[in-house]
Amino acid sequence: MKFLTWLRRKRFPYEPLITIEVSRDRLLHNFREFAAFAPDGHIAPILKANAYGHGLLAVAQFLEQNAEKIPFFGVDSYFEAIALHAKGVRMPLLIIGYTRLETIKTSLVKNISFTVTTMDTLRSISTIENKIKIHLKIDTGMHRQGIRPEEITEAMDIIKKNQSIILEGVYTHLNDADNTDESYTKSQIELWNRYAKEIKSQFPNIKYVHAASTDGSRFSKNIVGNVLRLGIGLYGITENEVLNSSLTLLPVLKMKTILTSVKKLNKGEATGYGNTFRTEKNILIGTIPIGYSEGLDRRLSSNGAVQIGQNKAVCPFIGRVSMNISTIDISSVENPAVGMEAIVISDNPKDPNSIQSIAKNCKTITYEIAVKIPAHLKRVMV
């Protein structure tokens, strides 16, 4: 396979214009930072949404080979699960999103567990003859997914009476754990602990009990559970002020491209669609081969910046972000030239083009910026 890849590259030499660098050291560093919060160090990395934009396969393969005490990976869909299996990932997988009943019935893939969030689904799978591993989700207050507390007794009865249902785990989600007002989260934890203890008493062999996630990790010592689900924190871009003050988290991702043109723009001239930007003096402008099709938020039009060259000169976006091209003011760059490196997303949180800064400029959250980086862009573990 490596020889065929080498041969194709020799016949069709091509280097992508955009590269996503994912730091191995930083990924492992963040993982180990959270180990202090995790019950006995057990962490289940969440790899949904293409590993929060960082690359599903690359992140999964690296963690499988280099991280310790991982009971399972969390993915959103059956599609993500089979994609990992097809590439040789053998870590047990928990699908935390919805899966069609027909898919659950016909699945032959080993080491996959399905999340059950409704009584209707639980009743339906109780008619299936082949063994199915499930994690039952309990609604403790988010009111989005999960069976209601008053349904737990019936759910336990169904599972006990059906030998084909293997209750591998039970969990909930803390929806307000990033709030500095901890009252709602503490009330959720109180409910969860009561339900979790009851379920454990009825199913003493249950393997996984989990409620804590990235934002909820700081409450782990007060939560009944044996696994920490680690999502956005694994990638070092959490907005949780408490976590950022108590842990040293490092952004894992950097997006790089190159300058593709350099030209002068005279005073009074406009650039971009709609002529939304007009110069007040003579400037030097450049283009980069990235736009909203490559995940660059259109709200960065004349808002935000990239870094150019070895000195990382800050170059603001001017005019509208286009589908595949964006224009920047490169007047501050020394000897700008086509091919010069441009950092579109920095891995330094304090930079004006970090995911944190981009999210602030766009009046959104870091999650949205990260997950919208298209999967087809080349990821490189560095």
Side-chain angles (χ1 to χ4, degrees):
M1 183 61 71
K2 291 183 178 180
F3 172 75
L4 292 176
T5 301
W6 174 84
L7 187 61
R8 282 195 296 269
R9 288 175 178 172
K10 291 290 287 184
R11 290 187 63 195
F12 308 105
Y14 171 70
E15 184 64 30
L17 296 176
I18 304 166
T19 300
I20 310 295
E21 292 185 351
V22 179
S23 169
R24 296 187 182 95
D25 289 344
R26 290 186 171 206
L27 192 65
L28 204 54
H29 166 85
N30 294 336
F31 182 92
R32 288 170 175 165
E33 283 285 287
F34 278 94
F37 286 138
D40 196 29
H42 290 100
I43 292 176
I46 304 302
L47 308 180
K48 64 179 181 177
N50 198 30
Y52 290 72
H54 292 67
L56 174 66
L57 180 61
V59 172
Q61 289 179 329
F62 174 76
L63 290 176
E64 186 172 49
Q65 295 169 10
N66 295 279
E68 300 175 348
K69 294 188 175 181
I70 297 179
F72 56 85
F73 288 149
V75 296
D76 178 66
S77 65
Y78 191 74
F79 175 83
E80 291 176 336
I82 60 175
L84 289 178
H85 269 267
K87 294 296 184 179
V89 173
R90 291 297 172 259
M91 180 71 66
L93 304 174
L94 170 63
I95 298 175
I96 60 178
Y98 176 77
T99 307
R100 286 190 177 95
L101 184 61
E102 294 78 8
T103 302
I104 297 175
K105 285 181 177 179
T106 59
S107 176
L108 298 176
V109 182
K110 296 180 179 179
N111 285 340
I112 287 184
S113 302
F114 299 94
T115 291
V116 171
T117 63
T118 69
M119 291 301 297
D120 285 342
T121 300
L122 185 59
R123 294 186 190 103
S124 296
I125 65 173
S126 68
T127 64
I128 302 174
E129 294 183 359
N130 53 301
K131 291 188 180 299
I132 300 167
K133 289 187 293 185
I134 69 167
H135 286 222
L136 188 66
K137 191 169 187 180
I138 310 296
D139 180 7
T140 57
M142 189 170 187
H143 304 320
R144 185 183 64 176
Q145 282 184 320
I147 67 168
R148 303 281 297 191
E150 59 268 23
E151 297 172 321
I152 292 177
T153 299
E154 182 186 354
M156 298 300 99
D157 289 341
I158 291 174
I159 296 170
K160 285 178 181 178
K161 292 175 183 177
N162 196 300
Q163 297 299 312
S164 65
I165 300 177
I166 302 172
L167 184 62
E168 183 182 61
V170 61
Y171 71 104
T172 194
H173 195 47
L174 305 176
N175 61 302
D176 198 39
D178 60 337
N179 197 332
T180 53
D181 180 354
E182 300 177 352
S183 57
Y184 192 81
T185 297
K186 288 181 177 179
S187 68
Q188 275 190 283
I189 293 172
E190 184 179 347
L191 289 173
W192 164 252
N193 287 349
R194 188 192 316 159
Y195 305 146
K197 288 175 182 177
E198 174 61 24
I199 294 169
K200 286 177 67 179
S201 70
Q202 295 192 47
F203 295 88
N205 294 324
I206 193 168
K207 290 178 69 174
Y208 306 122
V209 179
H210 46 112
S213 56
T214 292
D215 287 330
S217 61
R218 60 196 174 100
F219 300 99
S220 291
K221 293 181 180 179
N222 301 316
I223 295 174
V224 173
N226 58 5
V227 178
L228 167 67
R229 297 193 309 272
L230 184 56
I232 196 78
L234 175 62
Y235 311 100
I237 50 176
T238 176
E239 298 171 83
N240 190 306
E241 294 180 6
V242 177
L243 288 178
N244 283 327
S245 64
S246 57
L247 300 176
T248 304
L249 300 179
L250 304 174
V252 171
L253 180 146
K254 180 188 291 185
M255 178 188 283
K256 300 196 303 187
T257 186
I258 60 170
L259 269 180
T260 51
S261 71
V262 175
K263 68 191 302 182
K264 292 181 180 179
L265 206 61
N266 297 322
K267 179 181 179 180
E269 291 186 318
T271 182
Y273 286 114
N275 294 331
T276 59
F277 176 86
R278 195 174 296 275
T279 61
E280 297 179 353
K281 60 181 179 180
N282 295 346
I283 63 172
L284 205 59
I285 67 170
T287 56
I288 54 175
I290 179 170
Y292 51 81
S293 177
E294 289 77 28
L296 188 66
D297 201 294
R298 195 169 182 268
R299 289 168 289 188
L300 290 174
S301 300
S302 294
N303 178 29
V306 298
Q307 295 170 309
I308 303 292
Q310 290 185 344
N311 295 328
K312 296 183 179 180
V314 176
C315 300
F317 290 108
I318 55 175
R320 287 180 179 162
V321 170
S322 303
M323 185 180 294
N324 303 107
I325 302 173
S326 296
T327 305
I328 51 178
D329 182 347
I330 58 172
S331 302
S332 62
V333 179
E334 185 177 351
N335 300 319
V338 171
M340 187 173 282
E341 182 179 271
I343 300 175
V344 182
I345 297 179
S346 168
D347 58 5
N348 183 345
K350 296 181 180 180
D351 283 342
N353 55 331
S354 68
I355 288 182
Q356 291 90 332
S357 297
I358 293 171
K360 186 176 181 179
N361 286 343
C362 296
K363 295 181 172 58
T364 187
I365 56 176
T366 53
Y367 296 75
E368 181 185 0
I369 302 303
V371 303
K372 285 187 175 179
I373 301 172
H376 71 269
L377 297 181
K378 182 179 180 180
R379 268 73 170 174
V380 179
M381 300 295 289
V382 297

